[in-house]
Amino acid sequence: MIKKSDAEISELLGVSRVSVTRWRTGKRYPKFDEIIKYEEELKLPFECFINRNPNLDEIRNKLEMQLELIKKEIESLKN
């Protein structure tokens, strides 16, 4: 699995690159309503965001899997 940069993750989540960097370094955390949105829409576990040391590799991997599913859905709609 290819690791995503903070900029790529920020684009997928619709937040600034600075926000993702701050999450990664533990300087800030997403707002509660954003956590719920990511959990529901992107199938990211709540624990990813409330841990003092969020597992960004896990978040990246789950985003990659979700993106692949979306791509496959789009391709199936084209056929």
Side-chain angles (χ1 to χ4, degrees):
M1 178 99 23
I2 298 172
K3 290 189 178 183
K4 293 282 188 192
S5 69
D6 289 357
E8 291 169 311
I9 292 171
S10 71
E11 188 175 325
L12 287 168
L13 295 177
V15 299
S16 72
R17 181 201 52 79
V18 172
S19 292
V20 173
T21 301
R22 287 178 179 157
W23 298 346
R24 182 175 49 76
T25 60
K27 293 181 181 173
R28 295 243 198 271
Y29 298 97
K31 295 177 183 173
F32 185 76
D33 59 334
E34 291 171 339
I35 292 172
I36 298 301
K37 180 178 96 172
Y38 303 146
E39 182 180 41
E40 291 174 355
E41 293 179 9
L42 302 173
K43 310 297 187 251
L44 296 174
F46 183 82
E47 295 80 20
C48 288
F49 297 101
I50 60 170
N51 188 336
R52 297 278 294 154
N53 298 307
N55 185 343
L56 291 184
D57 286 332
E58 181 181 354
I59 294 169
R60 286 183 183 112
N61 290 339
K62 289 185 182 280
L63 285 171
E64 284 287 333
M65 288 188 294
Q66 194 69 17
L67 184 58
E68 287 304 314
L69 290 173
I70 291 168
K71 286 179 183 178
K72 287 179 184 177
E73 264 187 60
I74 291 170
E75 283 301 314
S76 71
L77 292 173
K78 289 180 181 178
N79 296 329

